[in-house]
Amino acid sequence: MLPISPLPLVSVPPAPRPDPVPWSGSAPFADPFTADPAVELLLDGAVRLLSGWFAGSAKATPLPGLCVMPSVAPQARGLAPELLLADLQRLIEGAYNPNHPGAMAHLDPPPLLASVVGDLIAAGLNNNLLAEELSPSLTRLERSLCRWLARALGLPPGSGGVPASGGSLSNLMALVVARHSRGLAGCAEAVVLCSADAHVSLAKAVAVMGLPPSALHTLPVDAEGRLAVPSLVAALEDLDRRGVPVLAVVATAGTTVRGAVDPLVAISAVCRPRGLWLHVDGAIGAVFALAEAHAHRVEGLGLADSLTVNPQKLLGITKTSSLLLLAEPGLLEQTFGTGLPYMEPGWGGAHGGETGLQGTRPAEILKLWLGLRQLGLEGIGALLDGAIQRRRALQALLPADGRLRLLGGSFHLLAFRPAGLVGAAAARWSEDTRQRLLAEGLMLSRPLYQGSHHLKAVLGNPHTGSEQLAAVARCVEASL
Ligand SMILES: *Cc1c(COP(=O)(O)O)cnc(C)c1O
């Protein structure tokens, strides 16, 4: 084992390796005629590495102290399984460790075991969601689960959608569908409205869509970090007066820094009568609608025309897992369909490659399906309960005497900085405190928000216990 010290992260060049050993009589592909012991040797070996890593996670730190890189380029002769596994072990030792109880920096929880298995099986099947003949069972699974999830999150009967490799892509596809359905496809003047706290992926989407940066109108947020509806109304009236077409209004259900939820019901009431497309970016918050006890936190989610949800962010589905869900999923094919001339027609609906930007797609649906089935609805509820309880517990432990400015929504995110510290002073404080936390095996992130750095705890890690929360609070208190 390599020495693990919390700081700093250094990278060392690869160690010299003995002469390469060729594959010891086994082929690099699984034998389709007979059971080859080499297949299980490699797969079992990989599973052992991974279980070993899981089991040792708490003894390590969230960030590795040392990163020893294996050789990168393929050698002249291929490597035997033992050597491949040895290389993997090195990479694993330099990996970020989401399983550590002190890992609370980002929206990257430990992976659900069933979703790890789902990923492995999906890779082994190597089906392609591009077309139904390349993924007969998985295409059906994808359609059905998208429909189920859309309904479970409150979208109307007939709703459904498509998985995408990440929320940024879901948001981009949503805006492209909105533009198409509003007949604005060739229009260079159309604008998108969202709050100042909306996700950076919207700026990327606008750029990809060939619109100028000014096409993204960011509106002020209230003291709780929610889109201020009066400014939305005022902006819409102004655009209307100037004859500027609106491509979509984007509301966020769970902002990235503080987990704020825009007032979805009120925003929908502004959009509906005006015939405006409402996209809800629920990358963080939409999953709360899956549990009755928490659905009130995202009230109005089902009023969206389109909805982004990222099960990778809190439910622990392995990356990437994001879906774009729509009240009218047929718009996906209308927007993205090309006829796919080199494929047999689909049997049960549009091909996967006709319902979004991606062509060839892995069966990301498999790990989501297996993960949700492993948790069950009660397990999902318990995961959400735990995240909320940890946020509340940390909030209760932090100084409440006004020395700290706390920014927390109704979710599992809590951002803070000392009251009165701004600019360079806040940057220094956040950097020093983050380092002190890291030295204790506690990892928080350091977002720049409204011009000043904060520390942010994301409490979605089910391994984080009262011990870690108390240690964070102690360290923060000592920093003031
Ligand atoms: C994370 C996030 C996204 C982007 O998701 P990726 O999977 O990282 O592309 C979009 N919106 C919000 C609110 C997010 O927090």
Side-chain angles (χ1 to χ4, degrees):
M1 280 296 281
L2 291 161
I4 301 282
S5 65
L7 291 168
L9 181 63
V10 288
S11 193
V12 303
R17 112 152 324 136
D19 276 349
V21 182
W23 279 82
S24 40
S26 62
F29 294 95
D31 191 328
F33 298 102
T34 178
D36 178 357
V39 173
E40 285 189 21
L41 187 77
L42 187 53
L43 291 181
D44 285 350
V47 168
R48 256 197 310 279
L49 282 187
L50 208 47
S51 359
W53 183 60
F54 288 143
S57 295
K59 282 192 227 87
T61 48
L63 272 181
L66 192 65
C67 196
V68 183
M69 290 301 291
S71 303
V72 171
Q75 286 159 269
R77 308 196 68 177
L79 301 184
E82 311 81 68
L83 289 175
L84 294 177
L85 293 171
D87 277 356
L88 274 176
Q89 179 65 35
R90 284 202 174 147
L91 265 189
I92 286 175
E93 281 158 12
Y96 170 65
N97 178 6
N99 310 289
H100 190 277
M104 42 186 128
H106 297 283
L107 294 140
D108 290 77
L112 266 183
L113 282 178
S115 82
V116 175
V117 173
D119 243 347
L120 177 68
I121 300 293
L125 296 177
N126 207 20
N127 275 213
N128 190 345
L129 274 289
L130 169 71
E132 199 159 348
E133 64 183 332
L134 293 171
S135 51
S137 55
L138 293 164
T139 291
R140 283 158 203 224
L141 183 71
E142 183 174 282
R143 283 191 200 121
S144 310
L145 190 60
C146 286
R147 278 189 216 121
W148 177 83
L149 195 61
R151 294 290 285 137
L153 296 181
L155 290 172
S159 54
V162 68
S165 293
S168 302
L169 189 51
S170 296
N171 282 345
L172 169 62
M173 293 198 301
L175 294 185
V176 174
V177 171
R179 177 162 74 173
H180 180 90
S181 89
R182 289 300 178 262
L184 294 170
C187 176
E189 283 78 47
V191 298
V192 175
L193 292 99
C194 63
S195 90
D197 286 5
H199 194 256
V200 291
S201 55
L202 297 174
K204 283 192 197 172
V206 163
V208 173
M209 292 165 78
L211 298 170
S214 57
L216 192 65
H217 279 222
T218 51
L219 301 164
V221 293
D222 65 16
E224 259 64 47
R226 298 170 304 200
L227 175 67
V229 177
S231 17
L232 172 64
V233 174
L236 289 173
E237 281 167 1
D238 178 53
L239 292 166
D240 195 40
R241 251 193 317 275
R242 295 193 284 125
V244 179
V246 174
L247 196 158
V249 172
V250 179
T252 307
T255 55
T256 310
V257 172
R258 54 196 293 186
V261 180
D262 290 340
L264 305 176
V265 176
I267 293 172
S268 167
V270 171
C271 293
R272 278 268 163 96
R274 292 173 169 82
L276 298 174
W277 185 280
L278 173 59
H279 174 64
V280 175
D281 180 358
I284 295 176
V287 293
F288 282 95
L290 292 175
E292 221 174 290
H294 296 286
H296 67 276
R297 301 177 195 280
V298 288
E299 194 197 351
L301 205 60
L303 300 168
D305 293 293
S306 55
L307 170 65
T308 291
V309 52
N310 272 21
Q312 71 196 15
K313 280 197 167 164
L314 176 55
L315 296 183
I317 308 297
T318 54
K319 287 177 263 296
T320 52
S321 182
S322 174
L323 302 103
L324 174 62
L325 304 173
L326 295 111
E328 283 182 62
L331 292 173
L332 285 168
E333 195 190 4
Q334 285 176 33
T335 307
F336 297 110
T338 59
L340 212 61
Y342 30 78
M343 288 292 168
E344 290 301 311
W347 305 302
H351 282 309
E354 295 281 87
T355 53
L357 273 173
Q358 288 173 273
T360 290
R361 278 197 287 119
E364 297 196 55
I365 202 68
L366 206 165
K367 62 197 176 188
L368 176 59
W369 166 70
L370 215 58
L372 294 178
R373 301 265 298 168
Q374 182 183 38
L375 283 174
L377 294 175
E378 286 174 12
I380 293 170
L383 210 60
L384 301 173
D385 290 347
I388 297 284
Q389 274 162 22
R390 285 186 294 276
R391 192 260 302 158
R392 286 197 180 129
L394 178 60
Q395 200 164 350
L397 288 167
L398 289 171
D401 52 9
R403 280 181 295 161
L404 215 53
R405 183 167 177 266
L406 281 179
L407 305 173
S410 75
F411 292 156
H412 57 300
L413 283 69
L414 197 57
F416 49 87
R417 68 174 162 78
L421 270 200
V422 291
R428 245 191 333 275
W429 167 82
S430 62
E431 216 172 300
D432 290 351
T433 311
R434 182 174 134 109
Q435 291 302 332
R436 284 206 203 96
L437 287 163
L438 276 172
E440 291 190 41
L442 303 162
M443 186 172 165
L444 269 64
S445 56
R446 212 167 65 84
L448 183 62
Y449 180 69
Q450 295 183 341
S452 294
H453 282 92
H454 292 67
L455 284 180
K456 176 174 98 168
V458 180
L459 298 150
N461 181 348
H463 304 313
T464 302
S466 46
E467 194 185 319
Q468 285 78 32
L469 298 179
V472 169
R474 256 198 321 275
C475 202
V476 170
E477 168 101 48
S479 78
L480 297 175

